[in-house]
Amino acid sequence: KDERGRRATFHGLKRKFVTGLIRAGVGVDELHELARHRSVQTTLGYYTDPTLKNRAAAVNKLPPPKSE
């Protein structure tokens, strides 16, 4: 558990792994194989977050925090 009481789960870690592969530019076939799913729909439908890239771009527009 972390300081907020959240737990690491197998599926949470797997989603982070698959999302990291997507960020790295891994293709769909390789992604599906590395995720070890029977169906590519499972990989793309559940373990990926299609809005992740858009959210990251939005956050990156923020100015850096001021140092005190």
Side-chain angles (χ1 to χ4, degrees):
K1 286 185 178 184
D2 70 3
E3 66 281 350
R4 293 173 49 194
R6 298 176 298 185
R7 294 182 182 186
T9 64
F10 172 79
H11 291 290
L13 293 172
K14 190 168 185 177
R15 187 170 187 176
K16 186 171 181 76
F17 171 69
V18 172
T19 300
L21 292 171
I22 291 168
R23 284 181 175 169
V26 172
V28 173
D29 292 334
E30 293 85 3
L31 185 67
H32 176 235
E33 184 178 332
L34 290 166
R36 299 178 52 100
H37 293 133
R38 288 186 189 139
S39 166
V40 71
Q41 285 81 14
T42 301
T43 306
L44 297 178
Y46 180 75
Y47 284 95
T48 61
D49 185 349
T51 63
L52 187 64
K53 193 176 260 187
N54 295 337
R55 290 178 188 158
V59 170
N60 286 333
K61 290 180 183 180
L62 292 171
K66 295 180 182 178
S67 59
E68 295 183 70

